[in-house]
Amino acid sequence: MAFQGKTKRIQQQFPSPEELYLSGTLPRTNAAVDGLWLHQGDVIRAYAEHHHKTPDLALELPTGSGKTIPGLLIAEWVRRRSEGPVIYATPTKQLARQVLATARREGVPSHLLIGSHKHWDVLEQSAVEGAEAIGITTYSAIFNSSPKLPEPRLIVLDDAHAGEQFVGAEYGVTIRRYEDPGTYESVLDALSSFLSGLLLQRLRGEPDPGAHHQVRLLLPAINPSALAKLDAALAKLPAPHTFDFAMIRSGLASCCVYLSYGGIQIRPVIPPTFENRIFSRSEQRIYLSATLGSGGELERAFGREHIVRMPLPTKTPPRSGRRLFVFPDLAAGGDALGLTRRIVGATNKALVLSQETLAKTEAAAAALAGEGVPVMGRDDVEQGLDSFAMAPTGVLGLANRYDGLDLPGQACRIVVLGGKPDAVGLQEKFLSERAEASAALAERLRTRIVQGAGRCTRGPNDYAVVVVLGSDITRYFSRPENREALEPELQAEVEFGWQNSRGTDPDEVIENIEMFLEHDAAWREDGEPLVAEFRQDAVKVEAPGAEALGSSAASEVKAWHLAFRGEWIAASEQLQEAAREVGTGGQSTRGYRGLLLYLSGVWLHLGAEDETQRARARELVRQAAAASEVRGTWLKEMPQLPGTEEVSLASMDVVAVSAIVARLRGQLRPNRVNDDLTKMREALAQDESTVYEGGLTALGSFLGAESSKPKGQGRCDSAWVWGTAIWMTVEAKSEQHADSLLPLHDIRQANTQLDQLAADRSMDHPPAGSPAIIVSDRLTVDPQHAPAANANVYLASTETIEQIAGDVSIVWSDLLTSAAGIQAEQTLRQHVRSVMTEHGCLPTQVIDRLTQNRIRPGA
């Protein structure tokens, strides 16, 4: 038996992380990589020379360029300098195991600390705490109510661009109705004082087609008794909600509640990570990111005021393989799903990524798998991707997993991006669908798409087909500002794919894919030169509003941290400053500015010590309404601050309410009205143009408009006129199906219809802000044709029209029974206003719902 003496730490001059790797000091295995890539060495060298002490540092290493080895070498260098424990964190357990395998392959001493701390090996835990090895763990092991990790000198956060999904979401309680209906109902009861009887009835009944209030924002702090009731209800929830609630209970008053039929989410917009000792007390936090946008996404996701960005020192970014983008929704024939199934059949091996639920994503994978091809899901790859990567065939469906999946070489050659990933969680849904704050999500959305597209191109020699499936994500790529925000190489690949998908026969699409997958001389001679041509013209342009959002991030982080501590006046001041900075982004950030102003007003009201401050709070809320304009209809659902005069209706809403009150006061036969409502909905549920047009005109009438079908060739199919306040023309293309792009002819036709309506009425021009709507299921416009549209021309789906018709039916069903007993004119007007507002049927709200998709880019 050999005795061992005390281990001594010898203080010495350490080589740089790069020299540490090159010197042979690390006991690397035979499976270790041959050497560092040039850009990896540059990043490591720049860190050691300039950023060793930078508290928060983001290192940019694009998808497939190798983030793990530089991160591990930096971590090992810091550990060897005897500066304290080092933690390397990944979003998932699967990724943590991958990092451990890489560390051991490269000779970096490390131990895995994942799952319950009760199962951690004591010797390994002690080695990490004593800085004898690196601790490899998950974000959830750091960001929880009682982390058991040692306080580190350094935390390396891999895939930091996914921070919001794996950090922000930890600071909140999320309840999914279908998973836990009892818990949903108990929390809904606690929120009932904020909801009308009509809305409660709607949330407790069978789901209806109304989508305008799919996510509603509530701020319980406005009502102290309601806040106490919510706190009591959340405190009684079972695990795992118990632990989730512990993360936010001390700052519950600052939290937002996002309410929908399908679930409830309670959380602050920016996580209070300052409360986490592991994260906040670390001397340095390094964020390894595939993309370093300028819009402040990292700061908001991790709750840090300033994160220094260190982009790649090299001017030429590393190649991450070749991607062939295919857009089945653009191909001829109109069978996008069928074409995608044929594409998957080219190899019978594909990865399907979607933001839908786990069940829906796995069902989508099954729909694309050929006969006899195995379908796999989350549970099949819980321990790692080898089961899928090594399988000869298979279709793997994963929900909300756009990061951390390495399928290089022959492991998988086809990725399907199913839909636009812009609503992961209710907070994102509210920001994108209700608050018109998509600019604040643009960087996050772009990163998810880029990450998803790169899952099978992990090295410079990899190649894969990327199938972009769904009208929403196809529309995303159709907008020039979205494509131009991509790196030039990716821009070129997208443009090449667009041009070779648009109007192309499906057989030709398959032939092109087969040639690409063979990747021999035919592709090099016929494909690569064309991609190179697109690459020459590609220039990256920051997305609109990015600079303004980046400059506001520090103020937003300060504001939310102050609010979490209940320092309302200081928090309001910081959020007002953020709103001023966001406002420099112009129209693109207007919706987000409105939200910040509203919250700053509520916070000032909560902390107000005198009437002057309360008056200022009310003024901020009025400014929020002005900033949001018509599109901010979510503000109509928010309760007024005490002492606030009721917000006057917009003039178009006044016209509508007056028209409906007059109709209710007239000789109304309820049975006849109900029959008309039924006929209207039946007409709008079919394709035949003449019948559909009649349904549109009936819908406009039930919305309080003077509704008609103008006579003459080339005229709109229905005109909705609310006095001289605002007009709307509706051009119905109900017979079109989502099988191709919207024709240029339809755009030009819509451009003229409001002017024709003005001529009918002997007016020089229509009222300001009047929109022209094209109703079609062809929701994608060719980028070459989109600039031809006037700025007030929008695309809306037939589904949206059906949803509005459903809500209108509910409104009138309620009014026919409830209005009869109301005698006072003003009381009836108020009641009509309330019912229409509740169901999103005021003209301002209807216009909001129909103008989500402007055709003209940058307008």
Side-chain angles (χ1 to χ4, degrees), residues 554-696:
S555 297
E556 290 180 56
V557 171
K558 290 177 187 175
W560 280 99
H561 287 182
L562 288 164
F564 199 82
R565 293 196 293 255
E567 299 178 32
W568 299 115
I569 294 177
S572 176
E573 290 172 352
Q574 286 293 335
L575 211 58
Q576 289 176 58
E577 176 59 30
R580 281 191 286 271
E581 291 165 335
V582 166
T584 63
Q587 193 66 31
S588 64
T589 57
R590 190 160 190 161
Y592 192 55
R593 177 172 175 263
L595 176 62
L596 296 184
L597 285 169
Y598 179 80
L599 290 171
S600 68
V602 170
W603 290 352
L604 182 56
H605 167 76
L606 293 175
E609 298 172 351
D610 54 43
E611 182 53 35
T612 300
Q613 290 177 329
R614 282 187 281 273
R616 171 60 180 161
R618 294 191 290 269
E619 174 58 26
L620 287 169
V621 171
R622 284 192 288 270
Q623 289 179 19
S628 299
E629 282 187 319
V630 170
R631 305 296 294 277
T633 54
W634 63 273
L635 279 163
K636 291 183 171 65
E637 301 163 358
M638 306 304 292
Q640 298 297 317
L641 297 180
T644 303
E645 295 180 6
E646 184 176 67
V647 176
S648 300
L649 282 177
S651 56
M652 65 195 79
D653 295 339
V654 172
V655 172
V657 169
S658 298
I660 292 173
V661 167
R663 194 168 174 181
L664 290 169
R665 290 292 196 210
Q667 309 228 336
L668 203 64
R669 288 191 282 177
N671 289 339
R672 176 66 179 272
V673 173
N674 284 322
D675 287 344
D676 289 344
L677 288 167
T678 299
K679 291 177 182 177
M680 173 194 73
R681 296 189 67 180
E682 289 174 349
L684 295 174
Q686 56 183 284
D687 295 343
E688 204 280 315
S689 59
T690 303
V691 176
Y692 193 88
E693 291 163 10
L696 283 174

Side-chain angles (χ1 to χ4, degrees), residues 435-732:
E436 286 298 309
S438 296
L441 302 175
E443 190 174 313
R444 191 180 306 171
L445 169 59
R446 182 168 58 254
T447 298
R448 286 177 188 152
I449 290 175
V450 172
Q451 284 291 294
R455 291 305 89 203
C456 299
T457 46
R458 312 307 298 155
N461 297 319
D462 288 336
Y463 54 93
V465 177
V466 179
V467 183
V468 179
L469 180 62
S471 61
D472 58 348
I473 192 170
T474 303
R475 289 200 307 276
Y476 174 85
F477 278 108
S478 76
R479 301 195 71 83
E481 63 268 28
N482 293 333
R483 295 200 307 277
E484 290 168 0
L486 301 172
E487 292 297 332
E489 188 75 21
L490 190 52
Q491 281 188 50
E493 292 173 332
V494 169
E495 187 64 32
F496 178 83
W498 187 279
Q499 296 299 333
N500 286 279
S501 299
R502 184 182 57 188
T504 305
D505 185 84
D507 290 338
E508 187 177 343
V509 171
I510 296 298
E511 288 177 11
N512 291 339
I513 288 170
E514 290 172 345
M515 180 177 70
F516 175 79
L517 290 173
E518 290 173 4
H519 226 70
D520 55 14
W523 166 255
R524 290 193 299 273
E525 293 171 5
D526 296 338
E528 283 292 342
L530 296 176
V531 177
E533 287 182 16
F534 287 119
R535 173 66 179 82
Q536 291 176 357
D537 298 330
V539 177
K540 182 178 180 179
V541 179
E542 287 292 345
E547 184 178 351
L549 288 163
S551 65
S552 74
S555 297
E556 290 180 56
V557 171
K558 290 177 187 175
W560 280 99
H561 287 182
L562 288 164
F564 199 82
R565 293 196 293 255
E567 299 178 32
W568 299 115
I569 294 177
S572 176
E573 290 172 352
Q574 286 293 335
L575 211 58
Q576 289 176 58
E577 176 59 30
R580 281 191 286 271
E581 291 165 335
V582 166
T584 63
Q587 193 66 31
S588 64
T589 57
R590 190 160 190 161
Y592 192 55
R593 177 172 175 263
L595 176 62
L596 296 184
L597 285 169
Y598 179 80
L599 290 171
S600 68
V602 170
W603 290 352
L604 182 56
H605 167 76
L606 293 175
E609 298 172 351
D610 54 43
E611 182 53 35
T612 300
Q613 290 177 329
R614 282 187 281 273
R616 171 60 180 161
R618 294 191 290 269
E619 174 58 26
L620 287 169
V621 171
R622 284 192 288 270
Q623 289 179 19
S628 299
E629 282 187 319
V630 170
R631 305 296 294 277
T633 54
W634 63 273
L635 279 163
K636 291 183 171 65
E637 301 163 358
M638 306 304 292
Q640 298 297 317
L641 297 180
T644 303
E645 295 180 6
E646 184 176 67
V647 176
S648 300
L649 282 177
S651 56
M652 65 195 79
D653 295 339
V654 172
V655 172
V657 169
S658 298
I660 292 173
V661 167
R663 194 168 174 181
L664 290 169
R665 290 292 196 210
Q667 309 228 336
L668 203 64
R669 288 191 282 177
N671 289 339
R672 176 66 179 272
V673 173
N674 284 322
D675 287 344
D676 289 344
L677 288 167
T678 299
K679 291 177 182 177
M680 173 194 73
R681 296 189 67 180
E682 289 174 349
L684 295 174
Q686 56 183 284
D687 295 343
E688 204 280 315
S689 59
T690 303
V691 176
Y692 193 88
E693 291 163 10
L696 283 174
T697 297
L699 177 59
S701 177
F702 281 118
L703 287 166
E706 178 191 337
S707 185
S708 64
K709 167 70 171 81
K711 296 179 180 179
Q713 190 174 4
R715 306 302 302 276
C716 66
D717 294 317
S718 189
W720 300 352
V721 174
W722 288 281
T724 57
I726 203 163
W727 301 345
M728 180 188 296
T729 58
V730 186
E731 180 64 27

Side-chain angles (χ1 to χ4, degrees), residues 2 5 117 133 218 271 276 292 319 369 401 432 443 522 582 620 636 683 775 781 786 792 831 854:
H117 71 280
L218 307 176
N276 185 287
L292 297 181
R319 272 196 58 187
R401 285 291 306 277
S432 64
E443 190 174 313
V582 166
L620 287 169
K636 291 183 171 65
V775 177
V781 181
N792 64 335
H831 180 65
R854 191 195 305 268

Side-chain angles (χ1 to χ4, degrees), residues 4 49 65 106 129 133 142 253 372 422 460 535 734 773 780 821:
Q4 296 186 14
E49 292 175 357
S65 64
E106 300 298 328
E129 190 152 3
I142 297 173
D422 64 340
R535 173 66 179 82
S734 56
I773 310 297
T780 306

